[in-house]
């Protein structure tokens, strides 16, 4: 609770005294007839409240005498609680989640004009809740009609992401501990998949091993739909069907990450189905690994975001030249982005409550420098599908990505997912046991 309180205080400090913040919880997940899918709280909402029910709205009112943190949430309901579990109710909102005041969610629109009194700036999430947007606009229009009675009639509407996502970018020690745990569980799951893998299995059987390891260690959910691609599927970046039978000479690309207490890991390993890389697979693998290791090594406070991009592009382009898949001068190949048919995605993204986490990448049109407390992935890849022009057949269906989660520390970096082996030799030796 102290962590959530600290975040709300920090946000309010930056909002200023005449502002109000309004944020809604994630919607209740669709029912499929009687069955209800699992609910997952909106990450911004979780970050500020820790409150894990749908149908809730958080209101923050800096320096408001009757309470700065107001929660609108569901009332308690005996029948609903018998079928679907405990609800905090208004008492619980105050007692368990530190709300200064709590009201039934259905009272929100009625109470809002009163909460807007003496406020001139509204922070809210523009992209989150269409119904809330409508309620807010209706009330602003209604207040405008009362202008002659002295009502505040004009408000600055500001996207709460500007402040909130900048806060989320810098992880606290508590958050780092959770990200580390997510990374460790995920690494164990990748090891399990490598050990279990053999030709003849279906891709989803490896998914089952990964899910088993996640849940066994208390991570109930995947942070994103896992990608388990073999053979030609290794070259489909967001392949999630996972239903192909794995062949003897295939590579297998596994991009899977656990969500542990709301925090994501995002890890990729690529390995040979039969436990031994072919010469072509190994050649491409070593290029991607070299690019990934060099990218990670450059991480420290002050390194510009895009530096990692440049490093991975350079090594991959040089590598593709070395194995004869690109021809020409290195600088001009980079200049004309000749690597794009093989390496078509970026080198990483922020990581946290979301897999592609909150936070901007440029400040004043310039790639921002890394700072301690940030967490990002480094995930270069080379993908050679049968459709890539001018590539001899023996290179086809080699898709390789290697991805780890990296914390920027005061002096450098820490790899949160390093328990999963990635040197070709280490993978082969793990798979031969
Ligand atoms: N797993 C999605 C990504 O690597 O960005
Ligand atoms: Mn990623
Ligand atoms: Mn990934």
């Amino acid at each position: 609770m102290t962590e959530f309180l600290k975040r709300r205080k920090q946000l309010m400090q930056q909002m200023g005294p005449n502002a109000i913040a309004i944020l809604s919880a994630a919607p209740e997940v669709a029912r499929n007839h009687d069955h209800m899918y699992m609910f997952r709280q909106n990450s911004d909402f979780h970050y500020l409240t820790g409150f894990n029910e749908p149908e809730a709205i958080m209101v923050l009112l800096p320096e408001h005498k009757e309470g700065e943190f107001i929660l609108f949430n569901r009332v308690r309901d005996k029948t609903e609680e018998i079928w679907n579990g405990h609800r905090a109710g208004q008492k619980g909102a105050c007692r368990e989640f530190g709300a200064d005041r709590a009201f039934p969610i259905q009272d929100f629109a009625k109470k809002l004009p009163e909460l807007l009194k003496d406020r001139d700036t509204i922070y809210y999430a523009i992209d989150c809740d269409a119904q809330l947007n409508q309620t807010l606009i209706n009330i602003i229009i209604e207040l405008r009609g009362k202008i002659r009675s002295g009502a505040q009639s004009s408000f600055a509407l500001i996207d709460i992401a500007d402040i909130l996502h900048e806060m989320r970018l810098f992880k606290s020690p508590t958050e780092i501990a959770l990200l580390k745990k997510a990374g460790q569980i995920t690494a164990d799951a990748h090891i399990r998949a490598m050990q279990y893998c053999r030709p003849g299995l279906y891709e989803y059987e490896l998914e089952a091993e990964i899910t088993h390891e996640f849940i066994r260690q208390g991570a109930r959910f995947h942070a994103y739909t896992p990608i388990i691609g073999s053979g030609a599927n290794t070259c489909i970046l967001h392949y999630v069907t996972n239903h192909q039978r794995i062949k003897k000479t295939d590579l297998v690309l596994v991009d899977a990450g656990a969500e542990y207490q709301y925090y994501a890991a995002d890890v990729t390993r690529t390995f040979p189905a039969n436990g031994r890389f072919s010469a072509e697979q190994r050649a491409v693998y070593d290029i991607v690994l070299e690019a990934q290791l060099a990218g990670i090594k450059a991480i420290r406070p002050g390194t510009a975001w895009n530096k990692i991009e440049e490093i991975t592009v350079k090594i991959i382009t040089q590598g593709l030249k070395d194995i004869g898949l690109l021809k020409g001068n290195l600088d001009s190949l980079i200049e004309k982005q000749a690597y794009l048919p093989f390496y078509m995605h970026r080198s990483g993204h922020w990581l946290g409550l979301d897999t592609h986490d909150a936070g901007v990448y440029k400040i004043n049109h310039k790639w921002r420098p890394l700072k301690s407390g940030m967490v990002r992935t480094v995930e270069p890849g080379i993908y050679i599908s049968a459709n890539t022009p001018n590539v001899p057949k023996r290179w086809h269906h080699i898709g390789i990505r290697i991805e780890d989660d990296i914390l920027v520390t005061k002096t450098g970096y820490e790899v949160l997912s390093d328990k999963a082996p990635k040197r070709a030799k280490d993978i082969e030796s793990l798979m031969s046991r």
Side-chain angles (χ1 to χ4, degrees), residues 24-27 39-47 49-56 262 354:
S24 60
F39 171 75
R40 202 278 192 183
Q41 189 56 280
N42 170 277
S43 293
D44 284 337
F45 196 87
H46 170 77
Y47 185 79
T49 66
F51 190 71
N52 64 349
E53 292 181 31
E55 296 188 277
Y262 282 97
D354 295 322

Side-chain angles (χ1 to χ4, degrees), residues 169 171 179 224 255 257 264-268 292 295-296 299 305 308-309 312 343 345-352 354-357 361 370 374-380 401-408 414-417:
L169 187 51
K171 273 65 179 178
L179 283 161
Y224 51 92
D255 183 347
D266 182 5
V267 176
T268 307
Q292 205 237 11
I296 293 172
I299 290 182
W305 171 270
I308 315 305
E309 205 72 35
T312 58
Y343 178 28
H345 59 74
R346 302 200 49 92
S347 70
H349 48 83
W350 305 127
L351 182 76
D354 295 322
T355 304
H356 290 181
D357 204 35
Y361 292 82
L370 298 174
M374 292 174 166
V375 179
R376 61 161 292 167
T377 65
V378 177
E379 50 177 307
R401 176 164 63 256
I402 307 172
E403 174 174 27
D404 281 293
D405 305 340
I406 323 290
L407 164 70
V408 186
E414 184 181 343
V415 183
L416 307 181
S417 45

